[in-house]
């Protein structure tokens, strides 16, 4: 690898689609040629962005899996980049630099699930950069052992929520984690971090397994999400060249950064509390450091580079703009649903490649100290010899010199034996760890056990808790020798009991403990079967592995974290198959629904944890997931985009908030911070208090949209009035209320039009004035008010070109409130666009819920044109039309006056001529009068039919609302079926009568005029 300029080298790797993306029918938006990558905006195929990097790796397609599970290119010389290809380009260069005495750093960056951990650590036979680098490092040490003596120290830490956790330390941790210090020579370092000497790659592998186990346990105890933590592995390499009397010392930092996904939030979703706080601080600061260093590289003047603003950037100061040769690998998902995150990652990587470091070969300060001590001893011996030659007896001076000599020799010996002592201690630990691993493997062949399942696949299967013969208590307590200690959110001191008797394992929950088996909550003793899924407390997920005789060839890897959550969702009635069939009417999966379903199962454990924290902190707040817009549509009847929302309810005064997915995730991290502070303070018997405006469980109350109803406008195009009882449906299809509404065609003074004004052809409205009123009469059966009587409601709607919604006055404390709200609209010259709108659209009536302390919604009329009579003008002419109208207003008015006079004269002449023609026709027909036009008769028949259909619609609404009681027994269900049959007969008879009457009227009109 050519790194003469010491620039940060950047590689980009694209992974295959995962199961979620394949099921969603995702499309690949990434294309790649050597050293260049292009991303396409899925909403605008013409919008493409290209980026150039040092290395680009196509790992999306063109591969096969061999018998060992290793992924290889499908064709020899194919474009697929396997783990070996990535290591050859990146890992070999890092190794070479470290052997030359340079510090080297590898950063892995990308959104959660984009392949960072796979590239860094690998999986199974597909070893990643870290294990391959360790193997090659010790191979190189063995190959050159004749010319140099090497010492390797290994350390592994995690940064979560601005706390440093030593993953190799097995004792109890200090609150707040380890501290980061700074020294002039060392720079920033972690005080008390355990560094372990290693002689083989196998020792490093064992230490990484130990660190992963610690990381899994810490994540459970701290209620932490591993995708939000940074993991940093350090290898300190010291090479002692005896012949040259020189020493080279280098640090290799391998960093798996937290998931880089951004929480998208529009202005309406902005949170009053800072997003992420300490959770996102390190990654945000890292971005700021990279941006500042990129500006420096292109010659911009930068006053401050914010290394000191986070733990991560302090520890990476040498890697970014300092004494290190650095490589970044950015990993991408190629799916269209990840476009924004992938584009953000590419921009981040593009800035990083501009950074220039100042790497130098490092000489060990320890070797310099030994040289200095030996040189000082030589001088002291010379002085002592001169004193002896002068024949002087021991004096104070010679005594002092001998003391200095002894002290220096001890220092030299301590320095030279430090490595051997550390190595012996490490070997003892490794032997103990090996014994534990051997014991664990032996027990796996003898006893059933539970296996941890983690959201991060790298942390799954790490913890094994064995269920030996007899009765075993499960919970926080570990006082009994027959107890299985599990610590996590929602785990009680004594949570459940496992019994292993007569080759049968049962699980019995303790009263009040939450235990879920295969998606269903259990309250009594349950027999466990091989591969049963267990959830203890809020989200401690385990897979039960039965007796060896039951296991067969089952692969537990298919039961991943998403499987557990999908099973929970199915138990709650959220099943993607059912949703897709109801939406599409076939077995085809709706990609948008699938994306929402996966969001749902992703948020389920977070909501469970938030509820548990609320209970433990006595917040009295309950969180519930909802699918937003599941059954709702827009004014054209098209389905609205579905999304996940979280309903937040205070159990005391029933205040309600609706949080977006982004806002809830942000608040969840803030809740974790509060919870950790509370737990720490409890141990110190100093329970903290939090100001309400800083409480993540609280928000100021605001109006909530409860549901919508559609009032279709087609009848207005015929100037036919409409009276409807509309069902107001909530996001998930629940009936929130019945809204009585009318559309009333009227005159300019507001008087209803007569039947004679009904139009057969809507195009007759073009260019003419149209007046109508939207009347909202009453809401009935408000579920919002029924749940809490201190609430109120308003109804809002927008019509045609009205940019702002209009709202009814607020009504409070009434389940069946009278609205009696009437709005008069007028179009002075009906345009084709308004006519099309009336014939194809509905006015969407939004039902808004109000609560105590909440400001009422007000209509913004600034952009509305309203006459002195209170009539709102719609279908306004465009700016160009308005300008020309203003310019020619006076001349047009005069022309119109002349044309009006001419038309009056012409009308008078036509009337006289028409009268003469009628008289002549009457004379020819023997005095019979002429029948009037049939159009009016047809209009009357349609009017009667339309009014009849109103009652039919009301009957249909009654049928839709008619449901059996949840407490109904068999007799009650029979009564319901009988009543349902009666309502169906009535509905059928009314519908048949309406259609039959229309047929008779039409037939009579045709006979009369034929």
């Amino acid at each position: 690898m050519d790194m003469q300029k010491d620039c940060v080298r950047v590689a980009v790797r694209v992974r295959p689609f995962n199961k979620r993306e394949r099921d969603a029918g995702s499309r690949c938006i990434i294309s790649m040629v050597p050293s260049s990558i292009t991303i396409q905006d899925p909403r605008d195929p013409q919008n493409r962005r290209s980026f150039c990097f040092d290395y680009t790796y196509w790992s999306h397609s063109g591969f096969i899996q061999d018998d060992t599970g290793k992924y290889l290119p499908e064709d020899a010389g194919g474009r697929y980049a396997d783990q070996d290809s990535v290591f050859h380009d990146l890992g070999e260069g890092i190794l070479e630099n470290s052997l030359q005495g340079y510090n080297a750093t590898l950063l892995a960056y990308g959104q959660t699930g984009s392949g960072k951990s796979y590239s860094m650590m690998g999986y199974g036979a597909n070893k990643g950069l870290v294990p391959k680098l360790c193997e090659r490092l010790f191979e190189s040490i063995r190959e050159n052992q004749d010319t140099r003596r090497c010492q390797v120290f290994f350390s592994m830490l995690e940064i979560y929520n601005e706390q440093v956790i030593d993953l190799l330390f097995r004792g109890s941790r200090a609150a707040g984690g380890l501290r980061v210090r700074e020294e002039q020579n060392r720079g920033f370092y972690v005080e008390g971090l355990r560094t372990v000497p290693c002689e083989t790659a196998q020792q490093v592998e064992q230490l990484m397994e130990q660190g992963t186990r610690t990381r899994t346990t810490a994540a459970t105890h701290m209620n932490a999400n591993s995708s939000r933590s940074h993991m940093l592995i350090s290898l300190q390499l010291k090479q002692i060249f005896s012949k040259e009397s020189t020493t080279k010392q280098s640090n290799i930092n391998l960093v798996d950064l937290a998931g880089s996904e951004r929480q998208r939030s529009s202005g309406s979703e902005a949170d009053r509390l800072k997003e992420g706080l300490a959770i996102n601080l390190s990654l945000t600061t890292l971005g700021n450091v990279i941006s500042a260093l990129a500006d420096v590289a292109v010659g911009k003047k930068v006053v401050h580079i914010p290394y000191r603003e986070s733990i991560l950037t302090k520890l990476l100061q040498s890697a970014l703009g300092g004494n290190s040769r650095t490589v970044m690998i950015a990993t991408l998902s190629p799916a269209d649903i990840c476009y924004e995150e992938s584009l953000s990652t590419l921009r981040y990587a593009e800035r990083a490649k501009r950074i220039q470091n100042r790497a130098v070969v490092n000489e060990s300060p320890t070797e310099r100290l030994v040289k200095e001590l030996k040189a000082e001893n030589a001088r002291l011996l010379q002085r002592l010899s001169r004193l002896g030659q002068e024949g002087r007896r021991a004096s104070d001076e010679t005594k002092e010199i001998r003391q200095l000599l002894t002290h220096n020799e001890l220092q030299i010996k301590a320095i030279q034996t430090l490595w051997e002592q550390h190595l012996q201690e490490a070997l003892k630990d490794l032997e103990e760890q090996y014994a534990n691993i051997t014991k664990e493997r032996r027990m796996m062949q003898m006893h059933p056990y539970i296996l941890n399942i983690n959201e991060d696949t790298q942390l799954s299967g790490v913890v094994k808790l064995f269920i030996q013969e007899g009765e075993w208590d499960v919970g926080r307590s570990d006082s009994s020798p027959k107890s299985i200690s599990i610590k996590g959110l929602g785990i009680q001191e004594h949570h459940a009991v496992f019994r292993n008797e007569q080759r049968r394992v049962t699980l019995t929950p303790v009263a009040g403990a939450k235990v879920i088996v295969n998606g269903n909550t259990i309250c009594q003793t349950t027999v466990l079967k091989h591969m049963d899924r267990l959830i203890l407390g809020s989200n401690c997920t385990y897979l039960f592995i039965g007796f060896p005789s039951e296991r067969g060839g089952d692969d537990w890897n298919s039961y991943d974290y998403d499987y557990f959550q999908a099973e929970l969702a199915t138990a709650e009635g959220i099943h993607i198959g059912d949703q897709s069939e109801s939406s599409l009417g076939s077995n085809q999966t709706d990609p948008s629904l699938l994306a929402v379903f996966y969001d749902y199962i992703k948020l389920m454990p977070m909501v469970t944890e938030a509820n548990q924290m609320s209970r433990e902190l006595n917040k009295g707040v309950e969180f519930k997931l909802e699918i937003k817009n599941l059954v709702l549509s827009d004014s054209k009847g098209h389905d609205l985009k579905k999304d996940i929302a979280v309903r937040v309810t205070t159990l005391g005064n029933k205040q309600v908030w609706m949080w977006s997915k982004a806002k809830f995730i942000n608040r969840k991290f803030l809740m974790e911070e509060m919870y950790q502070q509370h737990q720490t303070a409890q141990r110190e018997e100093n329970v903290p208090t939090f100001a309400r405006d800083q409480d993540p469980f609280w928000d100021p109350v605001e109006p909530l949209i409860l549901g919508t109803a559609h009032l279709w406008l087609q009848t207005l195009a015929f100037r036919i009035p409409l009276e409807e009882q509309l069902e107001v449906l909530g996001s998930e299809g629940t009936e929130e209320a019945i809204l009585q509404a009318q559309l009333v065609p009227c005159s300019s003074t507001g008087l209803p039009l007569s039947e004679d004004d009904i139009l057969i052809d809507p195009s007759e409205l073009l260019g003419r004035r149209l007046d109508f009123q939207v009347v909202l009469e009453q809401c009935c059966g408000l579920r919002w008010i029924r749940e809490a009587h201190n609430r109120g409601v308003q109804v809002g709607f927008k019509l045609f070109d009205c940019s702002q919604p209009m709202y009814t006055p607020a009504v409070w404390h009434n389940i069946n409130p009278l609205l009696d709200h009437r709005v008069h609209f007028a179009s002075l010259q009906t345009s084709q666009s308004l006519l099309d709108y009336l014939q194809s659209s509905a006015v969407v009536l939004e039902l808004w819920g109000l609560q105590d302390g909440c400001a009422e919604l007000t209509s913004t009329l600034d952009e509305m044109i309203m006459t002195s009579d209170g009539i709102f003008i719609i279908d306004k002419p465009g700016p160009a039309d308005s300008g020309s109208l203003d310019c020619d207003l006076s001349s047009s008015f005069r022309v119109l006056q002349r044309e009006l006079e001419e038309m009056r004269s012409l009308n008078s002449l036509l009337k006289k001529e028409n009268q003469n023609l009628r008289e002549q026709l009457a004379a020819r027909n023997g005095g019979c009068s002429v029948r009037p036009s049939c159009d009016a008769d047809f209009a009357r028949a349609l009017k009667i039919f339309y009014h009849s259909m109103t009652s039919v619609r009301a009957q249909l609404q009654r049928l839709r609302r008619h449901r059996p009681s949840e407490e109904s027994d068999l007799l009650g269900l029979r009564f319901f079926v009988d009543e349902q049959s009666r309502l169906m007969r009535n509905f059928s008879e009314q519908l048949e009568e309406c259609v039959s009457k229309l047929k008779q009227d039409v037939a009579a009109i045709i006979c009369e005029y034929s």
Side-chain angles (χ1 to χ4, degrees), residues 189-459:
Y189 68 98
V190 179
E191 184 181 47
L193 180 68
R194 187 177 179 216
T195 57
V196 182
C198 299
E199 284 189 310
T200 65
Q202 289 72 28
Q203 291 177 358
V204 171
E205 187 176 349
Q206 287 184 22
L207 288 169
M208 284 195 289
E209 287 180 6
Q210 178 188 332
T212 302
R213 183 185 293 268
T214 306
R215 193 181 186 200
T216 304
T217 308
T220 305
H221 289 187
M222 292 178 64
N223 187 35
N225 185 334
S226 65
S227 68
R228 307 293 290 188
S229 67
H230 314 281
M231 185 180 69
L232 195 155
I233 292 174
S234 289
L235 292 166
Q236 297 175 13
L237 172 63
K238 182 177 179 181
Q239 303 172 86
I240 303 169
F241 298 85
S242 303
K243 185 180 291 186
E244 295 85 355
S245 298
T246 60
T247 297
K248 292 181 180 178
Q249 184 166 309
S250 56
N251 293 324
I252 306 173
N253 293 318
L254 308 169
V255 188
D256 188 353
L257 296 169
S260 64
E261 58 272 10
R262 302 175 301 112
Q263 293 303 328
R264 296 182 297 275
S265 58
S266 64
S268 61
E269 295 177 348
D271 197 348
R272 63 184 179 84
L273 298 180
K274 289 188 293 183
E275 182 179 349
L277 289 179
I279 292 286
N280 283 337
L281 180 60
S282 283
L283 208 57
T284 303
T285 307
L286 180 61
N288 295 338
V289 167
I290 288 176
S291 295
L293 291 172
D295 289 342
V296 170
V298 296
K300 291 185 180 179
K301 184 177 180 181
V302 176
V303 177
H304 173 63
I305 297 174
Y307 290 116
R308 297 175 179 274
E309 292 181 9
S310 78
I311 297 294
L312 178 69
T313 48
K314 285 178 181 178
L315 297 179
L316 293 182
Q317 181 171 3
S318 64
L320 298 169
N323 179 20
S324 177
R325 288 183 167 175
T326 302
V327 175
M328 173 186 282
I329 180 168
T331 54
L332 302 177
S333 162
D336 49 2
I337 58 176
C338 298
Y339 167 74
E340 291 185 4
E341 285 82 2
S342 295
L343 180 60
S344 175
T345 299
L346 288 170
R347 287 172 172 162
Y348 200 96
E350 187 179 43
R351 290 197 300 273
K353 73 176 185 179
R354 301 177 193 160
I355 298 173
Q356 292 187 352
N357 292 346
R358 300 177 299 278
V360 295
V361 175
N362 300 292
E363 184 181 359
S364 168
T366 304
E367 288 301 310
R368 284 203 305 270
L369 179 59
V370 171
K371 289 178 187 176
E372 290 168 2
L373 288 171
K374 286 183 176 179
E376 186 178 354
N377 276 6
R379 288 194 299 273
L380 290 171
L381 285 170
Q382 287 178 359
R383 284 185 63 188
L384 196 60
S385 175
R386 285 198 301 272
L387 288 172
Q389 289 173 2
E390 293 173 4
R392 297 184 185 178
R393 296 187 175 274
S395 63
D396 291 342
E397 187 176 0
T398 57
K399 187 178 179 180
E400 183 181 348
I401 290 172
R402 291 185 185 280
Q403 286 178 346
L404 284 171
L405 278 168
T406 304
H407 177 72
N408 289 348
E409 289 292 344
L410 288 173
Q411 274 192 282
I412 292 169
K413 186 176 180 181
I415 291 170
Q416 290 176 336
T417 59
L418 186 63
W419 161 255
E420 285 77 8
Q421 288 176 355
H422 277 305
L423 188 58
Q424 290 304 314
E425 292 171 5
L427 287 173
K428 287 180 182 178
D429 285 346
L430 289 170
E431 286 174 5
E432 182 183 343
Q433 187 180 346
Y434 180 76
N436 291 335
I437 292 172
T438 304
K439 179 183 176 183
E440 182 180 271
R441 288 173 179 168
R442 188 170 61 250
M443 293 187 71
M444 288 170 64
Q445 302 305 317
M446 297 170 58
H447 304 291
Y449 58 94
I450 56 176
L451 188 75
N452 82 298
I453 302 297
N454 195 281
E455 185 177 5
D456 186 344
T457 54
Q458 299 286 332
L459 304 185

Side-chain angles (χ1 to χ4, degrees), residues 499-518:
R499 287 185 180 86
N500 181 354
E501 297 171 345
Q502 299 177 350
R503 297 191 63 79
R504 191 180 76 155
V505 177
T506 61
L507 176 61
T508 305
V510 173
K514 184 178 179 181
V515 178
I516 296 172
V517 177
N518 299 336

